[in-house]
Amino acid sequence: KKITKSFGHADELNDAVFSNDDKLVATASDDATAKLWEPESGNCLQTLIGHAGAVQSVQFSNDGNTILTASVDTTAKLWKHDGECRLTLQGHE
């Protein structure tokens, strides 16, 4: 029997990655958010809100302290685990 768990996004899931230590999972969605999850429990720890369009990709930094998201809104954002956007990179067309 196949068991699945909803990732709590309001639209399609575009990307999902484990942190380097496997303690977190980050997901990216067409609902313009990314989410941080605890894979052991399946609990959502944080929703990263700030993009104006679908989030296409998500990645952890090598040390795991920063999350990078890239969106169809032509921005990339760097986030802290607490959901604070540290930097918005603009300029793509």
Side-chain angles (χ1 to χ4, degrees), residues 79-93:
W79 306 85
K80 293 182 180 180
H81 285 224
D82 66 3
E84 178 187 342
C85 181
R86 296 177 49 199
L87 180 65
T88 299
L89 306 169
Q90 299 177 341
H92 290 281
E93 296 179 12

Side-chain angles (χ1 to χ4, degrees), residues 5-92:
K5 179 166 180 74
S6 169
F7 276 106
H9 285 284
D11 210 331
E12 290 184 32
L13 192 66
N14 294 318
D15 197 11
V17 295
F18 275 96
S19 59
N20 289 336
D21 61 6
D22 292 337
K23 292 183 179 179
L24 295 172
V25 170
T27 57
S29 173
D30 278 351
D31 67 6
T33 69
K35 292 181 181 278
L36 298 179
W37 303 87
E38 188 176 63
E40 290 292 319
S41 67
N43 291 331
C44 180
L45 303 175
Q46 192 63 247
T47 301
L48 308 178
I49 299 171
H51 282 291
V55 181
Q56 294 295 315
S57 62
V58 62
Q59 182 68 46
F60 286 94
S61 61
N62 286 337
D63 65 9
N65 293 327
T66 303
I67 300 101
L68 169 69
T69 56
S71 171
V72 298
D73 68 6
T74 70
T75 67
K77 293 182 180 285
L78 300 176
W79 306 85
K80 293 182 180 180
H81 285 224
D82 66 3
E84 178 187 342
C85 181
R86 296 177 49 199
L87 180 65
T88 299
L89 306 169
Q90 299 177 341
H92 290 281

